[in-house]
Amino acid sequence: MKQYLSLMVVAALVIGPVSVQATCELYQASGAWICGGQEKPVATKLTTDESCTLTCPAGHSVAADRNTVTCNAQGDLVVEGFFGVCVQDCTLPDNLHGATWTCGPAGQDTGVKKAGDRVPAGTRCTLECATGNPVGEVSRATCSSTGEGFGDHHFLQCVVQCTIPTIVQGTWTCGTENTAKNANDKVDQNTACTLACATGYTLSGQGTATCDENASFKDNNGATFGTCVAASGENNTNAANTTVANNTNAANTTVANSTNAANATNGTGGEDSGAQSLV
């Protein structure tokens, strides 16, 4: 027995301490683990210095700049920085009229996107209207890292607007509620407006037209708004007044001319009588 123990001690001294390699276990994640180019299931054992990368399903992205873990000598999975999770991407809304988006990491608006494109969490996007006028709240927002899209932000909408024209003796009502409008007010595309003329004036041309995609008012046949012209009765009255005024002026002129002629005649006769008396 003593000889056997002596041999064990000698063997231990020769071989040295037995090395036990640490192992790490992959945990349940929001995506799949890729280790050495192959997908590994949860609870897979990793050896020291072995690494795995988290990948996300379609329509999702890792909400951080780190998605790789490494098994260390203490049996822990470690990552430099913040390890992310898979969150749903954000879909850029349709803001009409050729609007484009410039998106990229915060502070780096780089890639040009269009409505319907998806961007990963942490991406900041800015709306740029190709035509029309921006109407709404914000033109820039960041895709949430918690899967809530762009959060409570309501992006601007690129809306084509028409300017109410100036029509002399005309008034405007627009929209389904027939809201009164003034010249130079703006209304959105597809808004119909109606022109009404003041008393004594009649409408010549089209009275109702709709704001189109080219920021112009047109009816179904492409006609623009008409104008307000003086009514025919008012024209006759003006003509009659003009005739009376002309007749009065003519009569006054005739009387004046007759008076002047009489005065001239009287003046000439007096001079002849005086001359004869002197002789």
Side-chain angles (χ1 to χ4, degrees):
M1 183 66 179
K2 290 183 179 180
Q3 291 178 344
Y4 175 77
L5 291 175
S6 298
L7 290 174
M8 290 291 292
V9 171
V10 171
L13 291 175
V14 173
I15 297 174
V18 177
S19 176
V20 179
Q21 190 174 33
T23 59
C24 305
E25 187 175 289
L26 290 177
Y27 56 86
Q28 181 68 49
S30 53
W33 292 107
I34 303 298
C35 310
Q38 295 182 339
E39 184 174 343
K40 298 291 184 179
V42 174
T44 294
K45 301 292 186 180
L46 302 182
T47 58
T48 303
D49 296 330
E50 188 175 2
S51 297
C52 292
T53 299
L54 174 66
T55 60
C56 299
H60 295 70
S61 301
V62 177
D65 57 353
R66 298 288 186 274
N67 63 336
T68 299
V69 294
T70 302
C71 181
N72 65 11
Q74 288 73 44
D76 298 318
L77 289 173
V78 295
V79 60
E80 293 183 3
F82 173 75
F83 187 77
V85 294
C86 293
V87 297
Q88 187 171 359
D89 296 337
C90 295
T91 301
L92 294 173
D94 185 358
N95 285 42
L96 304 178
H97 308 298
T100 58
W101 302 88
T102 305
C103 301
Q108 302 179 39
D109 290 346
T110 53
V112 176
K113 301 288 184 181
K114 63 182 183 300
D117 286 348
R118 302 177 70 91
V119 295
T123 302
R124 185 182 67 177
C125 292
T126 301
L127 172 66
E128 298 177 356
C129 293
T131 59
N133 302 286
V135 177
E137 296 181 14
V138 297
S139 62
R140 175 179 296 172
T142 300
C143 182
S144 171
S145 61
T146 57
E148 299 176 353
F150 287 102
D152 294 331
H153 296 296
H154 299 286
F155 277 113
L156 297 176
Q157 296 287 319
C158 294
V159 179
V160 170
Q161 293 185 312
C162 296
T163 301
I164 300 291
T166 299
I167 303 293
V168 177
Q169 299 299 331
T171 57
W172 301 94
T173 54
C174 299
T176 56
E177 298 180 358
N178 293 322
T179 305
K181 296 290 184 180
N182 299 314
N184 297 320
D185 284 350
K186 293 185 181 297
V187 295
D188 294 343
Q189 182 183 357
N190 298 324
T191 300
C193 291
T194 300
L195 170 64
C197 296
T199 302
Y201 288 81
T202 58
L203 176 65
S204 175
Q206 183 64 31
T208 299
T210 302
C211 178
D212 66 14
E213 68 276 8
N214 297 315
S216 299
F217 280 108
K218 299 287 180 62
D219 68 0
N220 293 334
N221 298 318
T224 59
F225 278 117
T227 57
C228 292
V229 297
S232 57
E234 185 170 330
N235 289 337
N236 292 336
T237 301
N238 290 337
N241 291 337
T242 302
T243 301
V244 171
N246 290 339
N247 290 339
T248 301
N249 291 335
N252 290 337
T253 302
T254 301
V255 171
N257 290 339
S258 299
T259 302
N260 291 337
N263 290 337
T265 301
N266 292 335
T268 305
E271 290 176 359
D272 291 342
S273 301
Q276 292 174 357
S277 62
L278 287 175
V279 175

